[in-house]
């Protein structure tokens, strides 16, 4: 009797010790990696709040001596923040949401129904993920300049002598139209993620709904969408962030009214050409502070969004019990 | 008999209806696929076989056959080396990224104090690394101490190895120089590759959450160790997630703005040369597609099939 009790306590002690040690290892591991990941963030914050003379002062390592928000004021003006922010929202964020919806519809068709050309379409989906936009850049731009559906508009226009093909360049439609057809920015990847998720959902619920007389559309809206919170949230976060950060497509389709990311990529040019009559020189040490402040201003909305959605994200992940 | 035929007919009708609905769901994407993907893609293949002249009225092409392919393979001194480098780079990076993000996802999926904080931090690369910001951070005008000289080796940030000097530590161990170099490269690349793990970690966490707890409870009752749990429950149940992460990672690695991609885009963006750069990209992508399908086929044959 006594022996078993001893055994039990020793085992409990062993387990507690094991937990303690793994806890420490985990913390050390995570802390060291967090340092690497946080380094550029800390660097950005540290230099953004520095006064110009702190950059030449060797005693200033991380904490600025002359704390100033001057960099932010200049960066705010250089980015033309309010206007570019509105541009980003108007073009990128709205098309991100259109894409979230359209990709899920496409994915449901690919995941749950069988038809002859499905295998071919799945193959094409992988190809769309694989091919970077740069490869089809020039044809795509021509396409956006003279938007046409299989040459119909061009043909009619030629017959009646007017240009019917709309020019989408420099308009928000250059972003909306591909999103409506679920082929926008990274749309292939989103569709693929949805397909993988929908395939994992238990079929029984949908079958029960269809026995009760619900059509596929109704089943999709009332059964599939409500039980796919996780994947919708994941895709939403990715889609918004990628659209927000996209430089390439918006740089291609727009020659004015830039969104934030493109404006940020032009920051050296802008600083060099001068704001309010003052030129900041492209590569001097103190412009680093302004550039870093601009970076912070650009990612700030994303950080806020992530902090808000993060709680929802974990909650919704933890709630999904039926999948598996 | 007649009833049976009737039943079969009915079943066929339902199936036809179902396939029709499936096509309906996919229809918008099919139109977009042709308009915004297949047509431009075919056009770009045509470019790679032609002389492309950009004029005021638009683009004119003149068929020259395999000339550009012949040029990049036989006359371009850098091209084939860049392709080889990309393949070698891929073989190193893929296993590291997949394993690292799986380990981190498993750790972040456990319950411990401060896990919300940790997750928030690990998502930072997704916000920073996909944008211009990383480009600005690693550009030559910003503080040099952030970037080490090996900036060529990876598309993402390279500053990690400058914080701790691994070469010196390894040098003191007295190993042969070749081995030290390989180990050093691996450790150095782990630091850089952390930046490419953000999305994979999120995908893995989402996958881990779908594994039912009952499986672990049963294995605990059966007396399985943590190690066995990992290999016999976690990994097989993550089969599809691993596939997704692998596909994503491979594409991410192959489309990094280094080597072939970099020189082709420079030709396009700065010199407006579309014919030769199209040929460069197409040749590269044929090789990439071959390697990717090989990796996926191996994974499918030896892993997914065994687990199901």
């Amino acid at each position: 009797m006594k022996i078993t009790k001893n055994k039990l306590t020793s085992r409990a002690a062993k387990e507690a010790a094991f937990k303690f040690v793994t806890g420490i290892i985990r913390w050390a591991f995570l802390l060291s990696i967090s340092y690497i990941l946080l380094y550029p963030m800390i660097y950005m914050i540290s230099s953004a709040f520095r006064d110009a003379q702190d950059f030449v002062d060797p005693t200033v390592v991380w904490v600025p001596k002359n704390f100033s928000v001057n960099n932010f004021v200049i960066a705010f003006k250089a980015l033309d923040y309010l206007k570019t922010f509105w541009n980003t929202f108007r073009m990128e964020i709205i098309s991100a949401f259109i894409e979230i919806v359209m990709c899920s519809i496409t994915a449901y068709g690919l995941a749950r129904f069988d038809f002859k050309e499905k295998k071919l379409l799945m193959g094409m989906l992988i190809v769309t993920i694989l091919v970077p936009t740069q490869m089809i850049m020039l044809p795509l731009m021509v396409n956006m300049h003279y938007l046409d559906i299989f040459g119909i508009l061009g043909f009619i226009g030629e017959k009646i002598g007017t240009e019917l093909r709309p020019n989408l360049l420099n308009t928000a439609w250059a972003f909306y139209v591909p999103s409506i057809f679920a082929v926008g920015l990274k749309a292939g990847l989103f569709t693929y993620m949805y397909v993988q998720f929908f395939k994992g959902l238990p079929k029984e619920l949908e079958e029960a709904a269809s026995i009760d007389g619900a059509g596929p559309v109704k089943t999709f809206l009332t059964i599939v969408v409500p039980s796919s919170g996780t994947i919708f949230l994941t895709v939403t976060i990715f889609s918004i962030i990628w659209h927000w950060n996209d430089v390439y497509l918006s740089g291609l389709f727009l020659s004015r009214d830039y969104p934030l990311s493109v404006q940020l990529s032009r920051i050296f040019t802008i600083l060099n050409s001068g704001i309010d009559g003052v030129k900041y020189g492209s590569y001097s040490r103190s412009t680093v502070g302004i550039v870093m402040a601009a970076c912070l201003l650009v990612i700030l909305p994303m950080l806020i969004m992530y902090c808000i959605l993060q709680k929802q994200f974990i909650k919704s992940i933890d709630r999904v019990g039926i999948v598996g | 008999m007649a009833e049976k035929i009737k039943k079969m007919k009915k079943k066929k009708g339902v199936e036809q209806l179902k396939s029709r609905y499936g096509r309906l769901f996919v229809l918008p994407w099919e139109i977009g696929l042709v308009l915004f993907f297949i047509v431009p893609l075919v056009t770009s293949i045509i470019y790679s076989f032609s002389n492309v002249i950009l004029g005021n009225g638009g683009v004119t092409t003149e068929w020259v056959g395999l000339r550009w392919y012949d040029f990049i393979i036989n006359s371009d001194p850098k091209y084939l080396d860049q392709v080889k480098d990309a393949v070698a780079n891929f073989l190193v990076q893929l296993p590291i990224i997949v394993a690292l993000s799986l380990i981190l996802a498993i750790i972040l999926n456990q319950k411990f104090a401060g896990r919300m904080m940790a997750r928030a931090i690990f998502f930072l690369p997704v916000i920073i690394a996909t944008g211009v910001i990383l480009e600005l951070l690693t550009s030559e005008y910003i503080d040099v101490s952030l970037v080490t000289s090996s900036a060529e080796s990876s598309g993402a940030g390279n500053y990690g190895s400058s914080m701790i000097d691994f070469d010196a530590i390894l040098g003191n161990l007295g190993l042969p120089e070749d081995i030290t170099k390989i180990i050093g490269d691996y450790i150095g690349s782990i630091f850089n590759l952390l930046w490419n793990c953000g999305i994979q970690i999120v995908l893995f966490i989402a996958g881990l959450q779908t594994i039912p707890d009952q499986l672990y409870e049963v294995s605990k009752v059966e007396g399985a160790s943590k190690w066995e749990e990992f290999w016999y429950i976690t990994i097989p149940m993550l089969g599809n997630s691993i596939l997704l992460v692998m596909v994503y990672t491979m594409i991410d690695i192959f489309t990094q703005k280094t080597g072939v991609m970099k020189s082709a885009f420079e030709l396009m963006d700065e010199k407006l040369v579309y014919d030769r750069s199209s040929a460069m990209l197409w040749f590269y992508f044929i090789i990439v597609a071959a390697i990717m399908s090989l990796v996926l086929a191996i994974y499918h044959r030896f892993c997914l099939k065994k687990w199901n």
Side-chain angles (χ1 to χ4, degrees):
Chain A
M1 191 68 193
K2 212 180 172 186
I3 297 162
T4 41
K5 204 182 172 188
N6 262 342
K7 244 187 187 169
L8 269 180
T9 46
S10 79
R11 188 190 270 177
K14 239 184 195 171
E15 240 167 52
F18 181 74
K19 248 190 180 166
F20 183 70
V21 172
T22 49
I24 285 180
I25 293 171
R26 177 165 58 209
W27 267 100
F29 190 59
L30 288 181
L31 271 179
S32 58
I33 290 175
S34 300
Y35 171 64
I36 299 169
L37 295 178
L38 283 176
Y39 186 83
M41 244 354 236
I42 300 168
Y43 178 85
M44 268 192 245
I45 294 168
S46 159
S47 21
F49 283 105
R50 271 184 222 189
D51 199 61
Q53 67 200 57
D54 278 8
F55 281 98
V56 283
D57 187 346
T59 57
V60 177
V61 182
W62 284 114
V63 185
K65 263 185 194 160
N66 304 302
F67 190 83
S68 105
V69 288
N70 199 24
N71 288 330
F72 284 95
V73 176
I74 299 169
F76 196 86
K77 276 184 191 157
L79 288 173
D80 199 357
Y81 196 74
L82 294 177
K83 209 183 126 208
T84 37
F85 186 90
W86 169 241
N87 284 337
T88 318
F89 184 81
R90 183 169 61 94
M91 295 185 278
E92 304 283 2
I93 301 303
I94 290 178
S95 77
F97 276 104
I98 298 172
E99 203 172 272
I100 294 160
V101 174
M102 293 312 290
C103 287
S104 72
I105 294 171
T106 310
Y108 188 63
L110 288 174
R112 267 295 185 269
F113 299 96
D114 271 320
F115 41 97
K116 253 189 261 159
E117 64 275 21
K118 198 176 95 168
K119 273 210 159 152
L120 178 77
L121 288 176
M122 280 305 286
M124 283 310 296
L125 186 67
I126 303 287
V127 177
T128 58
I129 302 173
L130 182 65
V131 175
T133 331
Q134 282 89 341
M135 274 186 90
I136 55 172
M137 174 176 83
L138 187 66
L140 199 62
M141 233 177 122
V142 175
N143 217 350
M144 284 293 174
H145 197 281
Y146 304 105
L147 188 76
D148 206 342
I149 298 157
F150 309 122
I152 300 167
L153 290 177
F155 182 74
I156 299 171
E158 216 166 82
K159 287 279 178 233
I160 58 173
T162 45
E163 186 61 80
L164 288 177
R165 298 173 292 183
N167 178 5
L168 299 187
L169 293 180
N170 278 321
T171 65
W173 287 100
F175 299 92
Y176 299 162
V177 170
S179 295
I180 289 170
F181 289 116
V183 284
L185 184 72
K186 300 245 181 199
L189 187 69
F190 297 143
T191 311
Y192 189 78
M193 282 162 68
Y194 278 125
V195 169
Q196 292 294 332
F197 186 88
F198 290 153
K199 272 186 182 164
L201 281 178
K203 266 191 181 157
E204 289 76 23
L205 273 175
E206 289 159 66
E207 273 161 12
S210 95
I211 286 166
D212 285 348
V217 179
K218 202 183 169 193
T219 313
F220 177 66
L221 289 176
T222 55
I223 307 285
V224 179
V225 174
S227 48
S228 310
T230 334
I231 194 71
F232 270 92
L233 209 69
T234 314
V235 170
T236 305
I237 291 178
F238 284 159
S239 179
I240 289 178
I241 287 175
W242 274 326
H243 273 88
W244 189 271
N245 281 338
D246 170 56
V247 189
Y248 200 81
L249 279 183
S250 28
L252 200 64
F253 294 153
L254 303 171
S255 50
R256 56 188 145 84
D257 296 337
Y258 294 119
L260 276 172
S261 54
V262 182
Q263 192 80 353
L264 182 63
S265 69
R266 298 169 62 237
I267 191 101
F268 281 121
T269 328
I270 297 167
L271 288 175
N272 205 22
S273 61
I275 306 148
D276 296 343
V278 186
K279 284 189 184 181
Y280 290 92
S282 36
Y283 317 129
S284 79
R285 294 285 284 168
S286 55
T287 50
V288 171
I290 302 171
V291 174
M292 290 296 115
C295 286
L296 280 177
L297 281 175
V298 171
I299 55 168
L300 192 66
M302 288 299 99
L303 289 176
I304 294 171
M305 178 199 82
Y306 181 63
C307 290
I308 296 167
L309 284 185
Q310 150 92 15
K311 269 188 188 154
Q312 236 70 35
F313 189 53
I314 292 173
K315 257 190 222 156
S316 87
I317 287 177
D318 289 345
R319 215 182 294 135
V320 182
I322 53 162
V323 189
Chain B
M1 192 66 191
E3 227 171 63
K4 213 176 177 185
I5 291 170
K6 215 176 169 186
K7 234 182 186 174
M8 268 172 72
K9 256 190 183 166
K10 206 179 169 191
K11 206 179 172 192
K12 213 181 174 189
V14 168
E15 243 151 47
Q16 242 173 20
L17 200 69
K18 263 198 108 178
S19 72
R20 203 172 294 161
Y21 269 114
R23 289 202 178 98
L24 192 71
F25 273 99
V26 182
L27 185 69
W29 176 64
E30 276 178 338
I31 297 172
L33 190 70
V34 173
L35 270 185
F36 295 100
F37 189 74
I38 295 177
V39 170
L41 199 70
V42 171
T43 318
S44 117
I45 296 176
I46 294 171
Y47 284 171
S48 75
F49 290 109
S50 321
N51 270 333
V52 176
I53 300 138
L54 294 175
N56 274 338
V59 188
T60 44
T61 55
E62 183 195 338
W63 189 265
V64 291
L66 284 169
R67 204 181 95 190
W68 293 120
Y69 289 94
D70 180 55
F71 179 84
I72 53 170
I73 293 167
N74 293 325
S75 313
D76 194 325
K78 276 194 303 185
Y79 185 75
L80 282 183
D81 285 337
Q82 282 175 338
V83 173
K84 272 180 218 151
D85 282 351
V87 173
N89 210 12
F90 165 80
L91 292 177
V92 177
Q93 289 189 3
L94 179 70
I96 296 181
I97 292 181
V98 173
L100 196 62
S101 44
L102 180 59
I103 293 168
L104 288 172
I106 287 172
I107 292 176
L108 290 176
N109 198 38
Q110 292 164 343
K111 288 192 172 67
F112 60 94
R115 125 177 138 147
M116 288 281 257
M117 257 309 269
R119 280 193 188 184
I121 290 170
F122 278 78
F123 202 70
L124 268 179
V126 181
I127 298 176
I128 295 178
T130 53
V132 245
I133 289 163
L134 199 74
E135 252 167 67
L136 282 176
L137 275 174
T138 51
S139 77
E140 51 196 302
Y141 314 127
I142 308 289
D143 195 9
V144 228
S145 69
L146 204 65
V147 196
T148 55
S149 55
S150 61
E152 286 291 316
S153 65
S154 159
N158 273 288
Y159 58 86
S161 36
S162 71
M163 290 187 291
I164 308 154
D165 195 350
F166 276 108
D167 289 345
I169 300 171
L170 288 169
N172 290 335
L173 291 177
L175 291 166
E177 207 168 291
D178 290 342
I179 296 173
T180 345
K181 198 175 170 295
I182 292 169
I183 296 173
D185 281 353
Y186 261 89
I187 293 175
S189 58
I190 285 175
F191 278 88
N192 299 330
L193 293 178
L194 265 178
W195 279 95
N196 304 18
C197 287
I199 288 148
Q200 285 86 332
I201 291 174
V202 177
L203 294 177
F204 270 138
I205 289 179
L208 282 170
Q209 292 290 345
T210 62
I211 302 175
D213 282 339
Q214 293 98 301
L215 282 180
Y216 290 108
E217 277 157 27
V218 169
S219 78
K220 218 175 198 175
V221 173
E222 300 268 331
S225 68
K226 288 266 173 204
W227 186 245
E228 285 165 330
E229 258 179 26
F230 177 74
W231 284 110
Y232 292 107
I233 297 176
T234 310
I235 294 285
M237 290 300 284
L238 279 180
N240 275 336
S241 300
I242 296 174
L243 185 69
L244 177 62
V245 167
M246 269 181 26
V247 169
Y248 180 83
T249 311
M250 287 196 276
I251 292 158
D252 201 37
I253 295 170
F254 277 127
T255 51
Q256 275 169 2
K257 270 194 188 160
T258 49
V260 180
M261 299 292 267
K262 199 179 171 196
S263 23
F265 296 151
E266 273 170 9
L267 270 179
M268 279 190 187
D269 288 341
E270 286 156 26
K271 293 174 191 154
L272 299 175
V273 175
Y274 289 93
D275 35 25
R276 181 147 62 93
S277 51
S278 294
M280 282 165 81
L281 289 176
W282 273 109
F283 186 77
Y284 177 61
F285 267 85
I286 289 164
I287 290 170
V288 167
I291 294 171
M292 278 184 66
S293 20
L294 189 72
V295 172
L296 289 182
I298 291 171
Y299 178 72
H300 201 264
R301 172 74 186 75
F302 291 100
C303 299
L304 271 187
K305 262 205 179 147
K306 208 173 84 188
W307 293 334
N308 281 333

